[in-house]
Amino acid sequence: MTSEATLWSKDASQRAGSPLLLLFHGYGANEADLFGLAEELPAEFTVASVRAGLAAGPGYAWFPLGPDGEGGLSFDPQEVKRVSAEIGSWIDSVRGEHSSVSLLGFSQGMAIVSTLARHRPTDFAAVVGLSGFVLDTAEDDFFRDQELAARKLPFFWGRDQADPVVPQPLVESSNAWLPKHTVLTKVLYNGMWHGISAAEIKHVSEFLTATVLAE
């Protein structure tokens, strides 16, 4: 991850002391895909939209992902851990001038932001997942889920029940996992499919204001 692969909503001279919100795009997209959301989110945030490192389709992916033959998705847990550790190191390189760090991920990006929260349960002020999922993983010391549950991290999950992309088994496992490990705000939207709606971004803005800016 490099500065050349990240879009920033504020010049470097304007970032000091601001809360940082990092955006993680979905599979096959790039850092420009979510960057337009910055204009719809609270102006107090410095927003940075990050590009994944793996070429995939017309864009990039955070880690290889494919069907598992049983209605779900297959992935390599070791690759997920490697990429998440790399992203965590990059976050450490930029977080020093900010008052807090929050995460927002769309689709596969939600898998990354939830993994980061599970690996670093005390590092983030809030997490937003849009039309995505939490990876269904075996117990592993990398995933500090008990610490995360004790932390009571605010987590916003927005999706459409008619989303045609995220497999139902992952929806069900995410729906079981999130309330047990986070303080979950879950909102369902009609007619959004696998996307982001204006109503959802308004709710995300309200969530970030209440959980980050009000602290």
Side-chain angles (χ1 to χ4, degrees), residues 141-159:
D141 289 343
F142 185 87
F143 301 102
R144 296 158 57 189
D145 287 354
Q146 290 186 344
E147 292 179 51
L148 180 62
R151 162 79 206 289
K152 301 190 182 302
L153 177 70
F155 198 113
F156 180 98
W157 184 27
R159 60 180 300 272

Side-chain angles (χ1 to χ4, degrees), residues 11-78:
D11 292 334
S13 61
Q14 300 175 314
R15 299 173 196 166
S18 65
L20 177 62
L21 177 65
L22 299 175
L23 310 184
F24 295 81
H25 61 75
Y27 190 96
N30 60 39
E31 69 277 18
D33 187 58
L34 298 178
F35 191 60
L37 299 180
E39 297 178 356
E40 308 298 326
L41 296 170
E44 292 89 340
F45 283 90
T46 293
V47 178
S49 190
V50 187
R51 182 199 301 170
L54 177 68
Y60 300 87
W62 300 102
F63 52 88
L65 195 63
D68 65 1
E70 299 179 354
L73 294 172
S74 66
F75 61 93
D76 181 352
Q78 297 305 316

Side-chain angles (χ1 to χ4, degrees), residues 172-183:
E172 293 172 0
S173 61
S174 300
N175 199 37
W177 186 90
L178 281 165
K180 296 178 181 177
H181 296 90
T182 69
V183 177

Side-chain angles (χ1 to χ4, degrees), residues 118-140:
R118 297 172 70 186
H119 180 50
R120 294 174 167 229
T122 63
D123 281 13
F124 307 110
V127 179
V128 175
L130 306 179
S131 298
F133 53 93
V134 178
L135 292 172
D136 190 7
T137 58
E139 288 190 16
D140 187 306

